[in-house]
Amino acid sequence: MKKLLVTASIIALALLSFTGCNKKTETKSGEVVSRQTSNRTIKVGYAQVGHESAWRTANSSSFKTTMTPANGYDLIYIDADGNQEVQIAAIRDFIAQNVDYIVVAPVIETGWDEVLKEAKAAAIPVILSDRQMKLEDDSLYLCWVGGNFLKEGRDGVKWLEGYLDGKGLSNEDLNIVDIQGTLGASAQVGRTQGIEEGIQSHPNWNLIAQKSGDFRKDGGKKAMEEIIKEVGINKINVLFAENDDMALGAIEAIKAAGKKPGEDIIIITFDAGHDVFLSMIAGEINCACECNPLHGPRIAEIIKTLENGGSVEKIQYVDEAVFDQSNAAAILPTRQY
Ligand code: GZL
């Protein structure tokens, strides 16, 4: 009898390792654990926002250079060009292809419940990268990796407070302009909240204009041109641009209006990519709040941990810092994007 039991369990184990099946469950504490291990090629469907900014290019590249066949991945990469319907269709296609994991960088926070329920019904784990989703049921996604957008906005305000204090300008009236990212994207929602909170906390700070540039360089230039037309270039003291590309576009409009960016108008941006470091060194941007785009390795680690029976935290913030003209030149050589 004993011999029979041992043989049966060996056959069962052999079957399990052959199928390479790998089920995921979420523990009560919100941690996600994997029940079995496997050494299969991992098929990942990745629905990316688009190609709107330098940040996005670096983000996409970090996935493509990490999830390679040599590293044990079969990556299906879809660039949705900023269109949520294309992202949703891509997720449905990943389900039809029965991928092992779905990764999504949601262009905006809402409208995902139905398609994520379909992924759950197909027992395919969904990992969120970069931006977040507003869902009725948070168990519809396995975990999220990204920047703390509210903190980024608050960090930009904190930097401005320190800068003004150092110049003895803390009590001066300030007219502030905010060029926002794609409306409804969690990066825009969080940064705008941090900026607006800061402005409201200073009676002598006035938000005189707020327009979206959709996280694109041409969008930032157009938004700044419209704001200059509406309020007049001489009325603007500070610009918050909610990403680098819009800041660089706005600088073109500021120069065309005869003003010196970084001097006549204080400029604070978000992302802190390579080109903005060059602008800070040139004195045209004053501060860059980092939003690290290199999520590929982080998410590959998460997947490998799960594949090997480990558990992962539900919410995982990437490391971020604040840079300005005092440290840009020294730090630029160390930057990866
Ligand atoms: C932030 C990301 C934003 C960047 C922009 O995590 O969602 O989208 O700040 C990008 O550059 O377009």
mmCIF file of all heavy atoms in Angstrom, residues 52-53 55-56 130-131 149 187 191 215 242-243 245 271 291, ligand 1:
data_model
loop_
_atom_site.group_PDB
_atom_site.id
_atom_site.type_symbol
_atom_site.label_atom_id
_atom_site.label_comp_id
_atom_site.label_asym_id
_atom_site.label_seq_id
_atom_site.Cartn_x
_atom_site.Cartn_y
_atom_site.Cartn_z
ATOM 1 N N GLU A 52 4.270 59.142 -25.991
ATOM 2 C CA GLU A 52 4.054 60.598 -25.881
ATOM 3 C C GLU A 52 5.230 61.363 -25.310
ATOM 4 O O GLU A 52 5.269 62.602 -25.426
ATOM 5 C CB GLU A 52 2.785 60.855 -25.044
ATOM 6 C CG GLU A 52 2.927 60.634 -23.554
ATOM 7 C CD GLU A 52 2.948 59.141 -23.157
ATOM 8 O OE1 GLU A 52 2.764 58.260 -24.018
ATOM 9 O OE2 GLU A 52 3.189 58.886 -21.961
ATOM 10 N N SER A 53 6.183 60.702 -24.643
ATOM 11 C CA SER A 53 7.212 61.488 -23.946
ATOM 12 C C SER A 53 8.516 60.702 -23.851
ATOM 13 O O SER A 53 8.534 59.471 -24.027
ATOM 14 C CB SER A 53 6.724 61.830 -22.533
ATOM 15 O OG SER A 53 6.565 60.625 -21.790
ATOM 16 N N TRP A 55 9.967 60.105 -21.149
ATOM 17 C CA TRP A 55 9.776 59.188 -20.011
ATOM 18 C C TRP A 55 9.194 57.869 -20.515
ATOM 19 O O TRP A 55 9.645 56.784 -20.167
ATOM 20 C CB TRP A 55 8.811 59.819 -18.989
ATOM 21 C CG TRP A 55 8.674 59.070 -17.706
ATOM 22 C CD1 TRP A 55 9.316 59.338 -16.524
ATOM 23 C CD2 TRP A 55 7.841 57.916 -17.453
ATOM 24 N NE1 TRP A 55 8.937 58.430 -15.563
ATOM 25 C CE2 TRP A 55 8.033 57.549 -16.108
ATOM 26 C CE3 TRP A 55 6.959 57.169 -18.224
ATOM 27 C CZ2 TRP A 55 7.365 56.464 -15.531
ATOM 28 C CZ3 TRP A 55 6.304 56.087 -17.658
ATOM 29 C CH2 TRP A 55 6.505 55.747 -16.336
ATOM 30 N N ARG A 56 8.201 57.958 -21.370
ATOM 31 C CA ARG A 56 7.523 56.762 -21.873
ATOM 32 C C ARG A 56 8.483 55.905 -22.698
ATOM 33 O O ARG A 56 8.482 54.682 -22.577
ATOM 34 C CB ARG A 56 6.321 57.185 -22.726
ATOM 35 C CG ARG A 56 5.418 56.056 -23.148
ATOM 36 C CD ARG A 56 4.701 55.388 -22.006
ATOM 37 N NE ARG A 56 3.973 56.330 -21.170
ATOM 38 C CZ ARG A 56 3.564 56.080 -19.935
ATOM 39 N NH1 ARG A 56 3.820 54.920 -19.381
ATOM 40 N NH2 ARG A 56 2.905 56.961 -19.243
ATOM 41 N N ASP A 130 3.351 51.962 -13.523
ATOM 42 C CA ASP A 130 3.306 53.403 -13.761
ATOM 43 C C ASP A 130 2.028 54.029 -13.201
ATOM 44 O O ASP A 130 1.985 54.420 -12.041
ATOM 45 C CB ASP A 130 3.457 53.672 -15.270
ATOM 46 C CG ASP A 130 3.244 55.110 -15.651
ATOM 47 O OD1 ASP A 130 3.328 55.975 -14.765
ATOM 48 O OD2 ASP A 130 2.965 55.380 -16.829
ATOM 49 N N ARG A 131 0.997 54.184 -14.016
ATOM 50 C CA ARG A 131 -0.205 54.858 -13.530
ATOM 51 C C ARG A 131 -1.141 53.850 -12.847
ATOM 52 O O ARG A 131 -0.981 52.632 -12.994
ATOM 53 C CB ARG A 131 -0.927 55.524 -14.708
ATOM 54 C CG ARG A 131 -0.038 56.563 -15.380
ATOM 55 C CD ARG A 131 -0.700 57.186 -16.587
ATOM 56 N NE ARG A 131 0.232 58.057 -17.302
ATOM 57 C CZ ARG A 131 -0.061 58.637 -18.484
ATOM 58 N NH1 ARG A 131 -1.250 58.446 -19.043
ATOM 59 N NH2 ARG A 131 0.822 59.388 -19.098
ATOM 60 N N PHE A 149 2.911 60.128 -7.122
ATOM 61 C CA PHE A 149 2.656 61.368 -7.865
ATOM 62 C C PHE A 149 2.276 62.526 -6.941
ATOM 63 O O PHE A 149 2.680 63.675 -7.157
ATOM 64 C CB PHE A 149 1.572 61.126 -8.910
ATOM 65 C CG PHE A 149 1.859 59.943 -9.792
ATOM 66 C CD1 PHE A 149 0.988 58.859 -9.871
ATOM 67 C CD2 PHE A 149 3.038 59.889 -10.523
ATOM 68 C CE1 PHE A 149 1.275 57.761 -10.664
ATOM 69 C CE2 PHE A 149 3.334 58.793 -11.332
ATOM 70 C CZ PHE A 149 2.445 57.729 -11.393
ATOM 71 N N ALA A 187 -0.838 60.239 -12.834
ATOM 72 C CA ALA A 187 0.320 61.143 -12.693
ATOM 73 C C ALA A 187 -0.160 62.598 -12.673
ATOM 74 O O ALA A 187 0.321 63.419 -11.895
ATOM 75 C CB ALA A 187 1.298 60.920 -13.830
ATOM 76 N N ARG A 191 -0.003 64.905 -9.171
ATOM 77 C CA ARG A 191 0.873 66.093 -9.217
ATOM 78 C C ARG A 191 0.037 67.366 -9.047
ATOM 79 O O ARG A 191 0.389 68.273 -8.294
ATOM 80 C CB ARG A 191 1.664 66.114 -10.526
ATOM 81 C CG ARG A 191 2.751 65.032 -10.569
ATOM 82 C CD ARG A 191 3.385 64.859 -11.937
ATOM 83 N NE ARG A 191 4.253 63.674 -11.918
ATOM 84 C CZ ARG A 191 4.704 63.092 -13.008
ATOM 85 N NH1 ARG A 191 4.408 63.571 -14.213
ATOM 86 N NH2 ARG A 191 5.459 62.016 -12.933
ATOM 87 N N PHE A 215 0.923 65.714 -21.656
ATOM 88 C CA PHE A 215 2.253 65.119 -21.457
ATOM 89 C C PHE A 215 3.117 65.147 -22.728
ATOM 90 O O PHE A 215 4.132 64.457 -22.802
ATOM 91 C CB PHE A 215 2.168 63.666 -20.957
ATOM 92 C CG PHE A 215 1.785 63.528 -19.506
ATOM 93 C CD1 PHE A 215 0.797 62.644 -19.114
ATOM 94 C CD2 PHE A 215 2.420 64.291 -18.517
ATOM 95 C CE1 PHE A 215 0.431 62.496 -17.767
ATOM 96 C CE2 PHE A 215 2.072 64.161 -17.177
ATOM 97 C CZ PHE A 215 1.074 63.266 -16.805
ATOM 98 N N GLU A 242 3.863 69.551 -15.625
ATOM 99 C CA GLU A 242 3.701 68.236 -15.002
ATOM 100 C C GLU A 242 4.454 67.109 -15.718
ATOM 101 O O GLU A 242 4.307 65.933 -15.362
ATOM 102 C CB GLU A 242 2.221 67.907 -14.804
ATOM 103 C CG GLU A 242 1.580 68.845 -13.777
ATOM 104 C CD GLU A 242 0.127 68.544 -13.478
ATOM 105 O OE1 GLU A 242 -0.393 67.529 -14.006
ATOM 106 O OE2 GLU A 242 -0.504 69.322 -12.726
ATOM 107 N N ASN A 243 5.266 67.440 -16.707
ATOM 108 C CA ASN A 243 6.322 66.528 -17.176
ATOM 109 C C ASN A 243 7.340 67.299 -17.999
ATOM 110 O O ASN A 243 7.099 68.426 -18.434
ATOM 111 C CB ASN A 243 5.754 65.316 -17.929
ATOM 112 C CG ASN A 243 5.590 65.564 -19.430
ATOM 113 O OD1 ASN A 243 5.242 66.660 -19.857
ATOM 114 N ND2 ASN A 243 5.881 64.534 -20.226
ATOM 115 N N ASP A 245 8.597 66.955 -21.053
ATOM 116 C CA ASP A 245 8.334 67.292 -22.462
ATOM 117 C C ASP A 245 7.499 68.569 -22.559
ATOM 118 O O ASP A 245 7.782 69.469 -23.350
ATOM 119 C CB ASP A 245 7.609 66.131 -23.153
ATOM 120 C CG ASP A 245 8.426 64.850 -23.065
ATOM 121 O OD1 ASP A 245 8.540 64.309 -21.941
ATOM 122 O OD2 ASP A 245 8.996 64.425 -24.076
ATOM 123 N N ASP A 271 9.602 64.335 -13.901
ATOM 124 C CA ASP A 271 10.237 63.233 -14.619
ATOM 125 C C ASP A 271 11.732 63.279 -14.362
ATOM 126 O O ASP A 271 12.316 62.302 -13.947
ATOM 127 C CB ASP A 271 9.997 63.226 -16.149
ATOM 128 C CG ASP A 271 8.594 62.766 -16.513
ATOM 129 O OD1 ASP A 271 7.896 62.244 -15.629
ATOM 130 O OD2 ASP A 271 8.204 62.928 -17.679
ATOM 131 N N CYS A 291 10.677 61.058 -11.585
ATOM 132 C CA CYS A 291 9.690 59.972 -11.632
ATOM 133 C C CYS A 291 10.389 58.864 -12.400
ATOM 134 O O CYS A 291 10.531 58.931 -13.613
ATOM 135 C CB CYS A 291 8.432 60.441 -12.346
ATOM 136 S SG CYS A 291 7.203 59.142 -12.467
HETATM 137 C C1 GZL B 1 4.508 59.122 -14.803
HETATM 138 C C2 GZL B 1 3.999 58.868 -16.196
HETATM 139 C C3 GZL B 1 3.900 60.144 -16.970
HETATM 140 C C4 GZL B 1 5.212 60.905 -17.102
HETATM 141 C C5 GZL B 1 5.073 61.459 -18.465
HETATM 142 O O1 GZL B 1 4.644 57.904 -14.098
HETATM 143 O O2 GZL B 1 2.730 58.253 -16.160
HETATM 144 O O3 GZL B 1 3.475 59.814 -18.290
HETATM 145 O O4 GZL B 1 5.407 61.888 -16.129
HETATM 146 C C6 GZL B 1 4.478 60.279 -19.208
HETATM 147 O O5 GZL B 1 6.272 61.905 -19.060
HETATM 148 O O6 GZL B 1 3.982 60.643 -20.423
#
